[in-house]
Amino acid sequence: FRLDVESGEATLLRDFAPLSLMPAGPSVNQAGDRIVVLTVGRLHPRKGQLLTLRALRALAPEFRERIEYWLIGSHPRAGYERELRQEAAGADFPIRFLGDVPDEELSRIYDRADIFAMTSINHGDSIEGFGLVYLEAAAHGLPIIAHDVGGVREAVADGVTGLLVPPDRPAQLAAAFEKLIADSALRRQLGGIGQADAPACLLPNGNILCAASPSFYVNPSNPTTYYEFTTSNTLLAAPSPPNAPFQNAFTETMLML
C-alpha cells in the first residue's frame, strides 16, 4: 500500500489487485467441479500457509475430493517453500504454487476462487496487522477463513464476512473449512456481505482507497480536515477527529506510510 501525502493518491501495490467501483462479476471457477481455496501472500511462517495446508489435509475424504488449493506468493529464502512443497507432496488433492503474478492476473484468479484463507500467526516479534489482503478478497466476493490474531478482526467480521478461528486450534480450523466447503449458500452469503461492506471509497481528489469502516482519513494537505469512511461507500467530511484519535489500526498504518 502506498499513500502520497502531498497529492492524497493511494495505490495498492504488489500482492493487491486494483479495485473498481463497479461490482465484480460472477466468479468463474476454472478448476472443474472442485472448490478452490486461495491464499495470497508472501511465503512466510507468519502467513500460515503450512497451517492451512495441514488443515486441508486433515479434512475427511469426502471434503478433500472436492477441493483444490492455490497459493500465490514467493519468498527469497527457499526453506519455507520447500517445507510447503514437502507437505503438499503427501496431499491427495491438487495444490498449485503460482508464485508472484501481475495484478491483472491476480484479479482473475480471485474471481476463479471460492474461499480465501490466510491463517496468519504471531511469529516471534512479528504480528499480523490490519491485513488489506482480506478486504481485497472480500471485494471479490470471497468468504474468508482466518486466524483471530493481531488486526485481522478489523478486516474480517466473524460469522458475517468470514470465519475466525483461534490460532493453535487445528481441529477448529479444519471444521471451518468443512463448514464452507459443505455449504455453498453460506459461502455466497458471507462473500456477498463482504463484497458489499468492503468499501471502495473516494478520496477528495477522486482516487480510490480501500479501507475498513468506520475509519478516518486525515487530509494530508489540510491536517485539520477529517473524512469518515462509511459502510454505504460514501466519504463524509467530519468536523473533528474521532474521540480516540488514530487508534484505528488502518488509520495508524496510513499515518506511518
Side-chain angles (χ1 to χ4, degrees):
F1 178 83
R2 180 178 66 201
L3 177 66
D4 187 324
V5 295
E6 293 184 357
S7 68
E9 293 185 356
T11 308
L12 293 175
L13 301 174
R14 294 196 63 180
D15 285 342
F16 304 109
L19 296 176
S20 167
L21 287 176
M22 297 298 292
S27 294
V28 178
N29 185 345
Q30 295 188 2
D33 294 329
R34 289 183 178 269
I35 292 169
V36 173
V37 179
L38 173 68
T39 297
V40 177
R42 63 193 177 101
L43 301 183
H44 188 278
R46 184 170 67 79
K47 295 299 182 182
Q49 290 97 339
L50 186 59
L51 302 177
T52 294
L53 180 50
R54 287 173 176 169
L56 294 175
R57 289 193 62 192
L59 297 176
E62 61 267 28
F63 293 102
R64 296 199 307 272
E65 68 185 12
R66 298 178 60 188
I67 64 169
E68 185 163 326
Y69 185 33
W70 296 359
L71 299 93
I72 290 179
S74 63
H75 197 279
R77 292 179 297 182
Y80 186 62
E81 181 174 352
R82 184 162 51 247
E83 188 177 4
L84 284 169
R85 289 184 179 275
Q86 288 172 350
E87 184 76 23
D92 58 359
F93 53 88
I95 298 174
R96 301 186 186 183
F97 290 84
L98 303 177
D100 294 320
V101 300
D103 286 342
E104 60 273 15
E105 178 61 21
L106 176 58
S107 185
R108 288 193 290 269
I109 290 173
Y110 271 120
D111 289 336
R112 296 184 193 130
D114 300 282
I115 298 169
F116 182 81
M118 192 166 78
T119 52
S120 298
I121 57 173
N122 296 335
H123 183 72
D125 295 330
S126 181
I127 299 174
E128 186 67 35
F130 177 76
L132 281 172
V133 69
Y134 297 110
L135 289 183
E136 183 179 49
H140 284 268
L142 295 181
I144 296 165
I145 292 178
H147 277 152
D148 191 2
V149 297
V152 175
R153 183 172 284 271
E154 293 194 46
V156 182
D158 187 28
V160 180
T161 63
L163 302 178
L164 292 179
V165 178
D168 302 317
R169 297 289 189 275
Q172 286 183 239
L173 182 58
F177 279 111
E178 289 187 357
K179 187 173 185 178
L180 287 189
I181 292 167
D183 193 338
S184 60
L186 180 60
R187 294 199 303 271
R188 288 193 298 270
Q189 175 186 320
L190 300 181
I193 294 173
Q195 190 171 43
D197 287 350
C201 298
L202 287 174
L203 294 178
N205 61 6
N207 289 292
I208 298 172
L209 178 65
C210 185
S213 181
S215 184
F216 285 80
Y217 162 70
V218 183
N219 186 340
S221 62
N222 183 1
T224 63
T225 303
Y226 297 79
Y227 296 92
E228 180 182 2
F229 298 104
T230 73
T231 54
S232 59
N233 292 346
T234 58
L235 188 65
L236 303 177
S240 61
N243 292 332
F246 315 136
Q247 293 306 302
N248 179 279
F250 181 80
T251 307
E252 287 180 345
T253 300
M254 289 206 310
L255 292 178
M256 289 188 295
L257 290 173

